[in-house]
Amino acid sequence: MNIPEDNTVQSRIELYFDRLWPINRSITGPGFRESLDILGEIIPTERLRFETGRKVFDWTVPKEWVAHDAYFVDPEGRRHAEFKVSNLHLMGYSVPFKGTLTLAELHPHLYSLPDMPDAIPYVTSYYRENWGFSLSHNELQTLPDGDYEIYIDTELFPGVVEIGEAVLPGQTDEEILFSTYLCHPSLANNELSGPLVMAFLYECIKNMPSRRYTYRFVMSTETIGTICYLSKRGEHLKNHLVAGYVMTCLGDRGQFTYKLSRRGDSLADRAARIVLRDNAEHAIVPFIPRGSDEKQYCSPGFNLPVGSLMRTRYGHYPEYHTSLDNKTFISFDALAGSVDTYFSIVKALEANLVWESRVQHCTPQLGPRGLFPSVSHASVAKSRVSLEEKLTAMLWFLNLADGQHDLLDIADISGCRLDLLTEVVQKVLATGLIKVVENAA
Amino acid sequence: MNIPEDNTVQSRIELYFDRLWPINRSITGPGFRESLDILGEIIPTERLRFETGRKVFDWTVPKEWVAHDAYFVDPEGRRHAEFKVSNLHLMGYSVPFKGTLTLAELHPHLYSLPDMPDAIPYVTSYYRENWGFSLSHNELQTLPDGDYEIYIDTELFPGVVEIGEAVLPGQTDEEILFSTYLCHPSLANNELSGPLVMAFLYECIKNMPSRRYTYRFVMSTETIGTICYLSKRGEHLKNHLVAGYVMTCLGDRGQFTYKLSRRGDSLADRAARIVLRDNAEHAIVPFIPRGSDEKQYCSPGFNLPVGSLMRTRYGHYPEYHTSLDNKTFISFDALAGSVDTYFSIVKALEANLVWESRVQHCTPQLGPRGLFPSVSHASVAKSRVSLEEKLTAMLWFLNLADGQHDLLDIADISGCRLDLLTEVVQKVLATGLIKVVENAA
Amino acid sequence: MNIPEDNTVQSRIELYFDRLWPINRSITGPGFRESLDILGEIIPTERLRFETGRKVFDWTVPKEWVAHDAYFVDPEGRRHAEFKVSNLHLMGYSVPFKGTLTLAELHPHLYSLPDMPDAIPYVTSYYRENWGFSLSHNELQTLPDGDYEIYIDTELFPGVVEIGEAVLPGQTDEEILFSTYLCHPSLANNELSGPLVMAFLYECIKNMPSRRYTYRFVMSTETIGTICYLSKRGEHLKNHLVAGYVMTCLGDRGQFTYKLSRRGDSLADRAARIVLRDNAEHAIVPFIPRGSDEKQYCSPGFNLPVGSLMRTRYGHYPEYHTSLDNKTFISFDALAGSVDTYFSIVKALEANLVWESRVQHCTPQLGPRGLFPSVSHASVAKSRVSLEEKLTAMLWFLNLADGQHDLLDIADISGCRLDLLTEVVQKVLATGLIKVVENAA
């Protein structure tokens, strides 16, 4: 392993990105396992395995798939769509095939994007036996008539869907879940960004001096992996999960987008809303049962408090699911920023206690406790804006420290920044004026 | 009866319009009965009768009224305000009167619209004995001084208020009500449009292969008739009515206006909202206890789920209650469109079941059930927009087929068109994946 | 006492303003008492006294303070910051001090406003022993180097915080509270306006022929006085208070601002909202636990239904807490208008009954009761707009006179002006059609 020139999160993420990029991942197979191993240097995961043929809710675990090589040769002897050049050239889960076809016979097996003639689309066929090649539309159009030699050296065999799971225990058995998926081949934003952000977020949480919540991290494969996972952990999560997030599309240069959970006002939603409100241009979008694994977590039988913090959403940027979603498209600053924002959410959740002031009747006296300047006059007030903001935050906090409102409520009602409120809590706590009533959940 | 040149709804409505137009209708009397008989060719009605003098809630059934002839003669021997030229010339419920008056004495009995000098206003005095003439302001201003001969040949005598009622039974005894009024003389939008739309809507509902709900149709007279009706059917409706609509002002060229029921979120309101959202430029206006018979249905003691789908509201077009509300003012396309829109509401109500998917945990597998293309790639996705919309509708439906949401809820939450959702339901139902939980009401 | 040239409220307020203006008020002491006595000519108050050293919730009653004289003399013999010229020159609660200081030593005791170089700021130090002078920044900058003679002749001694309280009893023991504070020296809007408006509002309420509610008036000192007051009356108010208002900043020329109670939808809030909606350009601002005594009334242990109707809020005008908040800044028309608006709220509260019509099923018949013109036609309708408005108000009232809605609800739902509804209630009441169900609270 290379040593990064500097030790910033950005360069460390880039190093892992470069190692993971070339691997041919899919929903099963060696590429997925190898990728888990590499990320395991930061986030060591237990492996959950689900054998081919196993019934998981409405689904059946598919065969395992390995691709060794694939291409086709045109009548003039030129190779096209070489898997070894780009793993996107081969349709995911292509069955083995060798033979000679005319261009007309080959054509239904070729995928391209006429609107994006330089891009190779990402195509899969997990649940219907098929084979195919993706290539740029420019290349497709150069193919001469005649006979083509097809060479697809893949294997489909009984194996396992595998999931990496890590848990960082906290003081309570209430849990926060982070879930991402590692089943895409050489694609950058969707999806190496999610696993990379998860790994470095894991590191941040692991290094916290204490944790109130237990944190659960899931590196799954989209849809089938998460369905497997929920068949094993679903009931546990129904009993313990207080907030969860699907991590995806976190590396592009766009603003943050938070997709609400199906409940719309879960703790996951409330924490994300306040953190984004305080910190960044962003959009909040409603739940929709399309997209990524949130549709499994938010299926009606689970209806878990799981939202998704992304940057630009899947399907909302043209590079999505094409060869243009590559290292150039993403930004390592954006990835590091995504780690930061997710960690801010973690801190918001950890700070989200319900407080009760020992003085409920009339305002507490701030001056003698060192919480308020005893001289008040307009000149002072006018010059120290931030003092004003702090005082406002303190008065709001004390007014709502009534055993009924958690800190996210207070941030929401007051409009005060959560970090300011958190600072106020520490200051007031040191005076003995407040006590915790209970955890919010 | 003439045979229309074509057999479109438009021409059939026009034929009935032309037959009904000249009849002098009022809240009682032969014109009302004759109009019910004509419409009875399409919507045969039972007649409910309430005798003069009968107490109905706070009201008393008035005498029956017949007008035979009326006019007045000016000093130069010219006849004015001839009832036989326009039944609007005679104030509704004018008592009989013959005599000679000076212009000054006559003047308090004359009604005109200075702002609309060509129009004859529609004037009535049901509950205070009086007589009067309406005429154009232009004509009013030409009247010379001198003695006028007044001739009003009317009769007021003990009789009945009569109401036409039709019921189309369904599988359940939950009811949908349509209510209109037939008590206006030669006026087109307000009000021959309501009875005409009701008649043709009745035909549509009668022809449905099956009906979940029982449909009740009421051709009443405004206010007193509907109060009589509620004195007889009010308790029944409190127990069985799930949605109802007052049909009025449905023939002008304006966009649809839906006036909410007093409850504001009744099933009537929800169905109308979604149908209008999907189909037409429209306005939703709040309940107000003015207007037409909705103020009886929505009086506090009943508070029934009754709204009103109109085009341009009574009082919001200058022709309202004048001789300018005539055949020229209305459009037979608009009338046919009103039938269609009401029928869309009926179909929305019929389709409004609560479904439960047999797969509640994680998404159901769509591919093997023929509900989802197994190959997904961007080029396909980009070209088939409607496929995307259908898939979205299907995923929303399955996510919310949780035994908690009726189909109108799903249309509302998802933003998907109701017809698309209805189509999805049929497709999914055929696979055996869903079952009905209960009727929504 | 001078006799005003005319006897308008404006001139009477001005007369009292002129007498109160020069008095050096503080949170304790003879100036406060003298001011209560003067206002007592209009609003006679009982005095509640809280001795120095007494614990009131989290606070301790401070010593009483009297200022006799204060100034300092510059090296050239000129006197500055003379208390007898303006009581703002002396920091409130300055301890006695006599001595010689260099300018550098004096400087930390001098307060000015660099951004408003002509203004003398209002500065206090109630809870930390200190002394100081306020002066204009212009004057501050002329002070030469050298030795200064400081002369502060004040006394701090065990005494009392004193509160004036008046009660106007009504038919019920449900109470409306008005609270203001009289602890500021020569400042006009904040705060002689509140006590002046309270005094004249008291007069209006005293002169009402009957009162449903009991009215309580509190002339307090900000913060400590109100905390003392709540220590005595808090439990009583929790049991009896239905609406309350903190009266402050009521004399400037700005539009009204209503600050909601912590509850946000208390009766106090609802009445103020409707009165302001009907009568004036205004702003509604959310509760915030800063500002004036509403933060005591709305502390979590009390959470009383207390809002605050102001004109321009404290801190939102530059003259606030400076010598520029003087007679020129305020308007006696504005003060009289503030009395009117508060009295409108009182009338709204008094009228806020829950009515039930004896006719719940269908509309009552208006004509025979003289509540509706029996001839309806467009020419009448078009010419008498206000008749239409009255009819709308009547129909709304009768529709919502269902024993469930109080009059403020009806004003809110219908959009009808409250005074129109009140007029309608009187008219309908005279016919015997309605009865009171219960008081709203």
Side-chain angles (χ1 to χ4, degrees):
Chain A
M1 161 183 178
N2 296 323
I3 304 297
E5 285 179 39
D6 55 37
N7 200 31
T8 61
V9 171
Q10 282 88 327
S11 12
R12 292 177 63 217
I13 295 177
E14 185 170 0
L15 208 72
Y16 278 94
F17 178 86
D18 290 341
R19 289 167 67 195
L20 291 164
W21 172 257
I23 299 170
N24 183 47
R25 282 168 294 276
S26 184
I27 57 172
T28 60
F32 183 87
R33 273 187 284 269
E34 185 188 345
S35 300
L36 270 188
D37 288 341
I38 290 171
L39 286 163
E41 295 168 13
I42 307 173
I43 174 172
T45 49
E46 302 283 326
R47 309 295 160 90
L48 281 61
R49 295 187 180 85
F50 299 84
E51 306 79 26
T52 300
R54 180 162 162 186
K55 298 292 276 178
V56 283
F57 299 119
D58 195 45
W59 297 66
T60 306
V61 177
K63 288 184 185 155
E64 202 167 313
W65 181 67
V66 186
H68 301 294
D69 200 1
Y71 53 84
F72 62 87
V73 184
D74 70 22
E76 292 159 16
R78 283 188 303 254
R79 283 195 182 185
H80 295 275
E82 286 189 77
F83 173 73
K84 288 187 175 165
V85 173
S86 164
N87 50 34
L88 295 181
H89 279 309
L90 180 62
M91 169 194 275
Y93 264 64
S94 281
V95 296
F97 184 82
K98 278 162 203 156
T100 308
L101 297 180
T102 64
L103 182 57
E105 288 166 333
L106 175 58
H107 220 277
H109 293 274
L110 300 184
Y111 299 91
S112 72
L113 297 170
D115 291 347
M116 297 174 67
D118 292 328
I120 307 164
Y122 169 50
V123 183
T124 63
S125 183
Y126 300 134
Y127 299 103
R128 194 169 63 84
E129 289 212 347
N130 197 1
W131 60 264
F133 291 98
S134 286
L135 67 175
S136 74
H137 200 65
N138 287 340
E139 185 171 1
L140 180 76
Q141 288 184 299
T142 66
L143 297 182
D145 275 336
D147 285 348
Y148 284 74
E149 296 300 315
I150 315 301
Y151 180 80
I152 300 181
D153 178 12
T154 59
E155 289 175 83
L156 283 157
F157 53 89
V160 292
V161 159
E162 201 159 342
I163 295 163
E165 184 187 42
V167 175
L168 288 171
Q171 291 152 16
T172 71
D173 61 0
E174 291 187 319
E175 293 194 6
I176 311 295
L177 172 75
F178 297 99
S179 178
T180 192
Y181 49 102
L182 193 53
C183 54
H184 285 188
S186 295
L187 293 164
N189 196 37
N190 176 238
E191 191 63 79
L192 273 177
S193 72
L196 287 166
V197 171
M198 176 181 281
F200 286 85
L201 176 66
Y202 173 93
E203 194 176 73
C204 296
I205 298 173
K206 193 185 66 184
N207 291 337
M208 291 171 81
S210 75
R211 286 181 293 273
R212 195 154 63 89
Y213 289 117
T214 292
Y215 291 83
R216 190 174 289 270
F217 302 82
V218 180
M219 292 212 183
S220 183
T221 62
E222 218 176 357
T223 307
I224 186 64
T226 303
I227 292 169
C228 287
Y229 186 75
L230 280 165
S231 74
K232 191 171 178 73
R233 295 276 191 256
E235 287 308 306
H236 175 86
L237 292 176
K238 280 168 86 162
N239 291 326
H240 295 93
L241 193 69
V242 297
Y245 302 91
V246 171
M247 307 179 94
T248 179
C249 296
L250 288 159
D252 65 276
R253 290 166 171 84
Q255 68 175 20
F256 285 108
T257 302
Y258 180 73
K259 177 176 171 178
L260 294 164
S261 75
R262 186 177 186 263
R263 299 183 190 177
D265 63 350
S266 68
L267 181 59
D269 302 320
R270 296 169 58 228
R273 269 188 188 281
I274 292 293
V275 166
L276 291 174
R277 182 201 69 177
D278 287 356
N279 292 301
E281 288 293 306
H282 69 278
I284 306 281
V285 298
F287 176 73
I288 164 171
R290 295 197 64 170
S292 185
D293 286 331
E294 62 275 16
K295 67 176 179 280
Q296 309 305 337
Y297 292 113
C298 296
S299 58
F302 290 116
N303 199 21
L304 292 168
V306 175
S308 181
L309 176 67
M310 300 163 267
R311 287 181 179 271
T312 306
R313 265 174 296 170
Y314 30 70
H316 284 69
Y317 52 96
E319 296 83 356
Y320 172 71
H321 274 201
T322 77
S323 55
L324 304 184
D325 180 0
N326 55 28
K327 191 174 176 180
T328 308
F329 177 63
I330 60 167
S331 146
F332 292 92
D333 282 345
L335 283 159
S338 297
V339 174
D340 278 353
T341 300
Y342 262 113
F343 193 44
S344 293
I345 291 175
V346 166
K347 287 181 283 189
L349 290 165
E350 288 285 326
N352 189 38
L353 294 160
V354 175
W355 295 95
E356 187 174 293
S357 168
R358 296 181 203 280
V359 177
Q360 289 290 309
H361 292 88
C362 297
T363 52
Q365 215 181 349
L366 301 182
R369 292 186 175 89
L371 300 172
F372 188 54
S374 64
V375 176
S376 87
H377 70 95
S379 65
V380 168
K382 276 172 191 173
S383 61
R384 297 192 204 163
V385 175
S386 74
L387 180 69
E388 279 298 294
E389 280 173 10
K390 281 181 189 176
L391 183 56
T392 297
M394 179 165 295
L395 291 169
W396 264 119
F397 171 69
L398 289 169
N399 186 275
L400 292 174
D402 59 358
Q404 308 292 322
H405 296 90
D406 65 23
L407 206 65
L408 288 169
D409 281 338
I410 297 176
D412 190 29
I413 294 169
S414 69
C416 297
R417 291 180 58 83
L418 188 65
D419 53 9
L420 204 53
L421 286 167
T422 309
E423 195 182 298
V424 159
V425 169
Q426 292 312 314
K427 216 163 162 180
V428 177
L429 185 59
T431 70
L433 188 55
I434 52 171
K435 61 178 184 219
V436 170
V437 175
E438 49 167 349
N439 291 355
Chain B
M1 154 180 186
N2 296 323
I3 304 297
E5 288 178 38
D6 56 39
N7 201 31
T8 62
V9 171
Q10 281 88 328
S11 6
R12 293 177 62 216
I13 296 177
E14 184 169 1
L15 208 74
Y16 279 94
F17 178 86
D18 289 341
R19 290 167 67 195
L20 293 163
W21 172 257
I23 300 168
N24 184 47
R25 283 168 293 276
S26 183
I27 57 173
T28 59
F32 184 85
R33 273 188 285 270
E34 185 188 344
S35 301
L36 268 188
D37 288 343
I38 291 170
L39 287 164
E41 297 168 13
I42 307 174
I43 174 171
T45 49
E46 301 283 327
R47 309 296 161 91
L48 281 61
R49 294 185 180 87
F50 300 84
E51 306 78 28
T52 299
R54 180 162 161 186
K55 298 292 276 180
V56 282
F57 299 119
D58 196 45
W59 297 65
T60 306
V61 177
K63 288 184 185 155
E64 203 166 313
W65 181 67
V66 186
H68 302 295
D69 200 1
Y71 53 83
F72 62 88
V73 185
D74 70 21
E76 292 157 19
R78 282 189 304 255
R79 281 196 183 183
H80 295 274
E82 285 190 78
F83 171 72
K84 289 186 174 164
V85 173
S86 165
N87 50 34
L88 295 180
H89 278 310
L90 179 62
M91 171 193 275
Y93 265 65
S94 280
V95 296
F97 184 80
K98 280 161 200 156
T100 309
L101 297 179
T102 64
L103 181 58
E105 287 165 335
L106 175 59
H107 219 279
H109 294 274
L110 301 183
Y111 299 92
S112 72
L113 297 170
D115 292 345
M116 298 173 68
D118 293 327
I120 307 163
Y122 169 50
V123 182
T124 63
S125 182
Y126 302 133
Y127 300 102
R128 194 168 62 84
E129 290 212 348
N130 197 0
W131 60 264
F133 291 98
S134 285
L135 66 175
S136 74
H137 200 66
N138 287 339
E139 185 170 0
L140 179 75
Q141 290 185 300
T142 65
L143 298 181
D145 275 337
D147 284 351
Y148 284 73
E149 296 300 315
I150 315 300
Y151 180 79
I152 299 181
D153 179 9
T154 59
E155 289 176 83
L156 282 157
F157 52 88
V160 292
V161 158
E162 200 159 344
I163 294 163
E165 185 187 41
V167 174
L168 287 171
Q171 291 151 15
T172 71
D173 61 359
E174 290 187 319
E175 293 194 7
I176 311 295
L177 173 75
F178 296 98
S179 179
T180 192
Y181 50 101
L182 193 54
C183 53
H184 285 187
S186 296
L187 292 164
N189 196 38
N190 178 236
E191 194 60 82
L192 272 177
S193 71
L196 287 167
V197 171
M198 177 180 282
F200 285 84
L201 176 66
Y202 174 91
E203 195 176 72
C204 296
I205 297 173
K206 194 186 66 184
N207 292 335
M208 292 172 82
S210 76
R211 287 181 293 272
R212 196 154 63 89
Y213 289 117
T214 293
Y215 290 82
R216 190 174 288 272
F217 302 82
V218 181
M219 292 214 185
S220 183
T221 61
E222 217 176 357
T223 305
I224 187 64
T226 302
I227 291 168
C228 288
Y229 186 76
L230 280 166
S231 75
K232 190 169 178 73
R233 295 275 193 256
E235 287 308 307
H236 175 86
L237 292 177
K238 279 169 87 162
N239 292 326
H240 295 92
L241 193 69
V242 297
Y245 302 91
V246 171
M247 306 179 95
T248 179
C249 297
L250 288 160
D252 65 277
R253 291 165 171 83
Q255 68 175 20
F256 284 107
T257 301
Y258 180 72
K259 176 175 170 178
L260 293 165
S261 75
R262 186 179 188 261
R263 300 182 189 175
D265 63 350
S266 68
L267 181 59
D269 303 320
R270 295 170 59 228
R273 269 188 189 281
I274 292 292
V275 167
L276 291 173
R277 181 200 70 176
D278 287 355
N279 292 300
E281 287 293 305
H282 68 277
I284 305 283
V285 299
F287 176 74
I288 163 172
R290 296 197 62 171
S292 185
D293 285 331
E294 63 274 15
K295 68 176 179 280
Q296 308 305 336
Y297 292 112
C298 297
S299 58
F302 290 116
N303 199 21
L304 292 168
V306 175
S308 182
L309 176 67
M310 301 162 267
R311 286 181 179 272
T312 306
R313 262 173 301 170
Y314 31 71
H316 283 70
Y317 52 96
E319 296 84 355
Y320 172 73
H321 273 201
T322 77
S323 55
L324 304 183
D325 180 0
N326 55 28
K327 191 173 175 181
T328 309
F329 177 61
I330 59 168
S331 146
F332 292 93
D333 282 344
L335 283 159
S338 297
V339 175
D340 278 353
T341 300
Y342 262 114
F343 193 43
S344 293
I345 291 176
V346 167
K347 287 181 284 188
L349 290 166
E350 288 285 326
N352 188 38
L353 295 160
V354 176
W355 295 95
E356 187 174 292
S357 169
R358 296 183 203 279
V359 177
Q360 289 290 308
H361 292 89
C362 297
T363 51
Q365 215 181 349
L366 301 182
R369 292 186 175 88
L371 299 171
F372 186 55
S374 62
V375 176
S376 86
H377 70 97
S379 64
V380 170
K382 276 172 191 172
S383 60
R384 298 192 203 161
V385 175
S386 74
L387 180 70
E388 281 298 293
E389 280 173 10
K390 281 180 189 176
L391 183 57
T392 297
M394 179 164 296
L395 291 170
W396 264 118
F397 171 69
L398 290 170
N399 187 274
L400 293 174
D402 60 358
Q404 308 292 322
H405 296 90
D406 64 24
L407 206 64
L408 288 169
D409 281 338
I410 297 176
D412 190 29
I413 295 169
S414 69
C416 298
R417 292 179 58 82
L418 188 64
D419 52 9
L420 205 52
L421 286 168
T422 309
E423 196 183 296
V424 159
V425 169
Q426 292 312 313
K427 217 165 162 180
V428 177
L429 185 57
T431 70
L433 189 55
I434 52 171
K435 60 180 188 217
V436 169
V437 175
E438 50 168 350
N439 292 355
Chain C
M1 155 178 184
N2 296 324
I3 303 296
E5 287 178 39
D6 56 37
N7 201 31
T8 61
V9 171
Q10 282 87 328
S11 9
R12 293 177 62 218
I13 295 176
E14 184 170 359
L15 209 73
Y16 279 94
F17 177 86
D18 290 341
R19 289 166 66 195
L20 292 164
W21 171 259
I23 300 168
N24 184 46
R25 284 169 293 277
S26 184
I27 56 172
T28 60
F32 183 87
R33 273 187 285 270
E34 185 187 346
S35 301
L36 270 187
D37 288 342
I38 292 171
L39 287 164
E41 296 168 13
I42 308 173
I43 174 171
T45 50
E46 302 283 326
R47 309 298 162 88
L48 282 60
R49 293 186 181 84
F50 300 84
E51 306 79 25
T52 299
R54 180 161 161 186
K55 297 293 275 177
V56 282
F57 299 117
D58 195 46
W59 298 65
T60 306
V61 177
K63 288 183 183 157
E64 204 167 311
W65 182 67
V66 186
H68 301 294
D69 201 1
Y71 54 82
F72 62 87
V73 185
D74 71 20
E76 290 158 20
R78 285 188 302 254
R79 281 195 185 184
H80 296 274
E82 284 191 78
F83 173 73
K84 289 185 175 164
V85 173
S86 164
N87 50 35
L88 295 181
H89 279 310
L90 180 61
M91 169 193 276
Y93 264 65
S94 282
V95 296
F97 184 81
K98 280 164 201 155
T100 309
L101 297 179
T102 65
L103 181 58
E105 290 165 331
L106 175 59
H107 221 278
H109 294 273
L110 301 184
Y111 298 91
S112 73
L113 297 169
D115 291 346
M116 298 174 67
D118 292 327
I120 307 163
Y122 169 50
V123 182
T124 64
S125 183
Y126 300 134
Y127 299 104
R128 193 168 64 84
E129 289 213 349
N130 196 1
W131 60 263
F133 291 98
S134 284
L135 67 175
S136 75
H137 200 64
N138 287 340
E139 184 170 2
L140 180 75
Q141 289 184 299
T142 64
L143 297 181
D145 275 336
D147 284 348
Y148 284 75
E149 295 300 315
I150 315 302
Y151 181 80
I152 299 181
D153 179 11
T154 60
E155 289 176 83
L156 281 157
F157 53 89
V160 292
V161 159
E162 200 157 345
I163 294 163
E165 184 187 43
V167 174
L168 288 171
Q171 292 152 14
T172 72
D173 62 359
E174 291 186 318
E175 294 195 5
I176 311 294
L177 172 76
F178 297 97
S179 179
T180 190
Y181 49 101
L182 194 52
C183 53
H184 284 186
S186 296
L187 292 165
N189 196 39
N190 178 241
E191 192 64 76
L192 272 177
S193 71
L196 287 166
V197 171
M198 176 180 282
F200 286 84
L201 175 65
Y202 174 92
E203 195 175 72
C204 295
I205 297 173
K206 193 185 66 184
N207 291 337
M208 291 171 81
S210 76
R211 285 181 295 270
R212 195 154 63 87
Y213 289 116
T214 292
Y215 290 82
R216 190 173 290 270
F217 302 81
V218 180
M219 292 212 185
S220 182
T221 62
E222 218 176 357
T223 306
I224 186 64
T226 303
I227 292 168
C228 287
Y229 186 74
L230 280 166
S231 75
K232 190 168 178 73
R233 294 278 192 254
E235 287 307 307
H236 175 86
L237 292 177
K238 280 169 87 162
N239 292 326
H240 295 91
L241 193 68
V242 296
Y245 302 91
V246 171
M247 307 179 95
T248 179
C249 296
L250 288 159
D252 65 277
R253 290 165 171 84
Q255 67 175 21
F256 284 108
T257 302
Y258 180 71
K259 176 176 171 178
L260 295 164
S261 75
R262 186 178 187 263
R263 299 183 190 177
D265 62 351
S266 68
L267 181 59
D269 302 320
R270 295 170 59 228
R273 270 187 188 280
I274 292 292
V275 166
L276 292 174
R277 181 201 70 175
D278 286 355
N279 292 301
E281 286 294 304
H282 67 278
I284 306 282
V285 297
F287 176 74
I288 164 172
R290 297 198 60 170
S292 185
D293 285 332
E294 62 274 16
K295 67 177 181 278
Q296 308 305 335
Y297 292 113
C298 296
S299 59
F302 291 117
N303 199 22
L304 292 168
V306 175
S308 182
L309 176 66
M310 303 162 264
R311 286 180 179 272
T312 306
R313 262 174 299 169
Y314 30 71
H316 284 69
Y317 52 95
E319 296 84 355
Y320 172 71
H321 274 202
T322 78
S323 55
L324 303 184
D325 180 0
N326 55 27
K327 190 174 178 180
T328 307
F329 178 62
I330 60 168
S331 147
F332 292 93
D333 282 345
L335 283 159
S338 298
V339 175
D340 278 353
T341 299
Y342 261 114
F343 193 43
S344 292
I345 291 175
V346 166
K347 287 181 285 188
L349 290 165
E350 288 285 327
N352 189 38
L353 295 161
V354 175
W355 295 93
E356 187 174 292
S357 169
R358 296 182 203 279
V359 177
Q360 290 290 309
H361 292 89
C362 297
T363 52
Q365 215 180 349
L366 301 182
R369 293 187 174 89
L371 299 172
F372 187 53
S374 63
V375 177
S376 86
H377 71 98
S379 66
V380 169
K382 277 172 191 176
S383 60
R384 297 192 202 162
V385 176
S386 75
L387 180 70
E388 280 297 294
E389 280 174 11
K390 280 180 188 174
L391 183 57
T392 297
M394 180 162 297
L395 292 170
W396 263 119
F397 171 68
L398 289 170
N399 186 273
L400 293 174
D402 59 358
Q404 307 293 321
H405 296 90
D406 64 24
L407 206 65
L408 288 169
D409 281 337
I410 297 176
D412 190 27
I413 294 170
S414 70
C416 297
R417 290 180 59 84
L418 189 64
D419 51 10
L420 204 51
L421 285 167
T422 308
E423 196 181 294
V424 159
V425 169
Q426 292 312 312
K427 217 165 162 179
V428 177
L429 186 58
T431 71
L433 187 55
I434 52 170
K435 61 178 189 222
V436 168
V437 175
E438 50 167 350
N439 292 354

